[in-house]
Amino acid sequence: MSLVDSFRAHTVEILARYERALRDADSPLVATADRWDQTRRQAEEILGECLHMLGPIAQERPDPQAATRELGIDRARQQILVADSIRAGILLWRAAVPVLREVAMSESPDRLPDMFDRLHEAISIRLYIGSVAHEHVRLANRAAAAGNDQHSEPEGVTRPDNITEREWEVLKCVGRAYSNREIAKELAISEPTVKAHLRKIFRKLAATSRVDAINKVGLPHRYRS
């Protein structure tokens, strides 16, 4: 059996070890089936990156940024602490290392350092991306709790029925003259997602520009931070 095949055959064991460790630690990431499903999918992606570097595997590995950012936002909204994500990363490492060592020592001992490096990198980048997204949500919530006027509705203006709450948030940022990058940072989403929201807004409002869009919903141009 090749190193790739042997590693693939042991991923189920690693995930089982990981889940047991999370439950033993009473982690909120396994408190519900949905949360464990999210956590498991991310662990599978991390292990998949380790598997991919051993090759040859035809499929491209997905970019971890978008999915991990959304997961960080979701965890912040569920009031799951960054510390819980960090602990999960440590527990995944502890679950994977003994299995990886056993697989590598039986098949290709010289690949073990590379496998460990890749596992560490895959876990670390996700912790960083998720933590940044989590922090954006936390800061936005704190500003809202403090009654920051830039997040309040302008007087006499209401959201049109065909505009979603997220699209309305994007429109208010447009009214404050934010760039796509600034909107993405403000709402903790990606720039491509901002552009997708804007395309939908323009279509729904039959708007030809950003200024035309905010004029049609009645947002004042001066509505900015």
Side-chain angles (χ1 to χ4, degrees), residues 33 82 91 107 110 123 142 161 171 189 198:
V82 171
L91 293 178
E107 301 290 345
D110 61 306
I123 292 174
R142 187 173 68 180
D161 292 338
L171 265 176
I189 57 179
L198 287 172

Side-chain angles (χ1 to χ4, degrees), residues 75-130:
R75 286 180 176 175
R77 289 172 176 166
Q78 295 178 40
Q79 298 185 330
I80 296 174
L81 302 177
V82 171
D84 290 311
S85 295
I86 294 173
R87 179 170 60 173
I90 294 171
L91 293 178
L92 178 58
W93 173 268
R94 291 176 178 174
V97 163
V99 178
L100 294 182
R101 181 180 289 114
E102 179 182 350
V103 170
M105 294 307 291
S106 64
E107 301 290 345
S108 182
D110 61 306
R111 303 298 300 276
L112 185 59
D114 289 339
M115 293 168 70
F116 282 176
D117 286 347
R118 188 56 177 165
L119 177 63
H120 183 271
E121 179 183 351
I123 292 174
S124 297
I125 189 63
R126 283 169 172 78
L127 284 176
Y128 173 74
I129 294 170

Side-chain angles (χ1 to χ4, degrees), residues 4 32 38 47-48 59 61 65 89-90 145 156 164 181-182 200 206 222:
V4 170
T32 67
Q38 289 178 323
L47 297 176
Q59 70 269 23
R61 299 306 303 162
Q65 292 199 18
I90 294 171
T164 67
R181 177 174 296 182
E182 290 170 330
K200 292 178 182 178
R222 64 182 178 279

